[in-house]
Amino acid sequence: MSALQIELIPALTDNYIYLVREPASGTTAIVDPAEAQPVIAALEGRGWTLDLILNTHHHGDHIGGNAELKDRYGATVIGPAADAHRIGTLDRTVREGDHVTIGDQDGVVFEVPGHTSGHIAFWFAGSDALFCGDTLFALGCGRLFEGTPQQMWASLGKLRALPDSAMIYCGHEYTESNARFAVTIEPDNTALKDRAAAIATQRRKGQPTIPAVLGLEKATNPFLRADDPATQAAIGMAGREPVAVFAEIRGRKDRF
Ligand code: ZN
Ligand code: FE
């Protein structure tokens, strides 16, 4: 078994495309190609070809490079069954519990509706790697374009149940603005304040804040903490239903 090697390819304004390679077999995958050109440049620079394209959801900034990459490399495009009508380039559709392998690395699919109704995530346990698109962000979560707070809270709950060591590869570099919001929810959370300071330093140096680590998200991401007494108390909602608390935090972020 050889763990996946994962590289970030920044694209568009603040998207991350992921270049994923299983080194033993040389199998190469791309997750959420916002655009083709930076992917082609990365592959050519390494002398690699492309076997697989994985899509988390139908938004253009996650599938924009599908057609050109598929044409050029003959890569197989895998994405959500529920979005099959909205992603014309799909070769294989997957649902909750389906498996996707990259070389000898096994990934399982989670359906995580909320940002979009068909959104999925890919969890590669042997590599501690979660590709979650616009569902969970470092210190944030996706906007609810096609889902309810109930759906998104349940989706985040699935992801939160993964091991604390899980590395979170999300769709955007939104961390610094997410941090500015998070401290308005829990100004007394020491772990959050420390993290916000570290993030500001990283971004000043132009460094990515991704991957995030799930254990730290649980301690600092307000959207994973709607059932935490400290977070509830901090916004005057002690003892309330977690989904109501989540909806309140999401609403505040929308207006932030
Ligand atoms: Zn999106
Ligand atoms: Fe996006």
Side-chain angles (χ1 to χ4, degrees):
M1 294 286 279
S2 53
L4 296 173
Q5 296 172 348
I6 302 167
E7 296 180 59
L8 280 60
I9 304 176
L12 303 178
T13 310
D14 49 31
N15 278 79
Y16 286 128
I17 301 168
Y18 296 104
L19 171 58
V20 183
R21 183 150 167 114
E22 192 280 297
S25 64
T27 306
T28 303
I30 285 288
V31 180
D32 282 354
E35 49 183 345
Q37 213 46 56
V39 174
I40 293 167
L43 291 168
E44 288 191 343
R46 293 162 180 76
W48 297 350
T49 184
L50 182 62
D51 301 293
L52 297 168
I53 297 170
L54 274 50
N55 291 148
T56 61
H57 66 296
H58 72 88
H59 284 160
D61 63 316
H62 297 257
I63 68 169
N66 276 13
E68 189 175 344
L69 293 170
K70 180 177 170 169
D71 272 5
R72 187 180 181 107
Y73 298 103
T76 301
V77 183
I78 302 173
D83 271 346
H85 61 298
R86 303 197 273 194
I87 310 177
T89 42
L90 288 184
D91 296 302
R92 182 187 160 203
T93 59
V94 290
R95 294 187 182 280
E96 176 82 20
D98 284 347
H99 289 259
V100 170
T101 57
I102 304 176
D104 67 11
Q105 293 295 295
D106 179 64
V108 67
V109 172
F110 298 122
E111 290 180 345
V112 286
H115 177 66
T116 66
S117 57
H119 204 301
I120 58 173
F122 300 91
W123 165 239
F124 290 87
S127 301
D128 249 352
L130 175 70
F131 299 99
C132 55
D134 294 352
T135 297
L136 174 62
F137 292 124
L139 285 178
C141 78
R143 278 179 185 265
L144 306 184
F145 287 124
E146 298 174 9
T148 63
Q150 186 89 50
Q151 283 178 313
M152 188 58 129
W153 177 244
S155 294
L156 292 173
K158 280 186 199 177
L159 304 182
R160 193 176 67 166
L162 295 172
D164 279 359
S165 55
M167 308 283 265
I168 297 157
Y169 295 89
C170 56
H172 294 267
E173 179 63 67
Y174 287 160
T175 316
E176 191 169 18
S177 67
N178 286 344
R180 279 197 292 270
F181 171 73
V183 298
T184 69
I185 298 294
E186 275 195 279
D188 298 327
N189 180 331
T190 307
L192 172 59
K193 284 190 284 189
D194 290 350
R195 188 178 178 197
I199 287 162
T201 303
Q202 275 179 301
R203 294 306 293 155
R204 244 193 328 274
K205 295 178 185 163
Q207 297 167 351
T209 62
I210 307 301
V213 181
L214 184 59
L216 186 55
E217 289 304 319
K218 289 194 214 173
T220 55
N221 184 330
F223 298 97
L224 296 183
R225 295 171 55 75
D227 56 355
D228 187 292
T231 306
Q232 294 190 346
I235 61 168
M237 293 183 77
R240 296 282 303 279
E241 275 296 305
V243 70
V245 178
F246 173 79
E248 170 65 22
I249 296 171
R250 186 59 255 178
R252 290 190 191 192
K253 178 66 163 66
D254 291 342
R255 298 185 297 272
F256 184 66

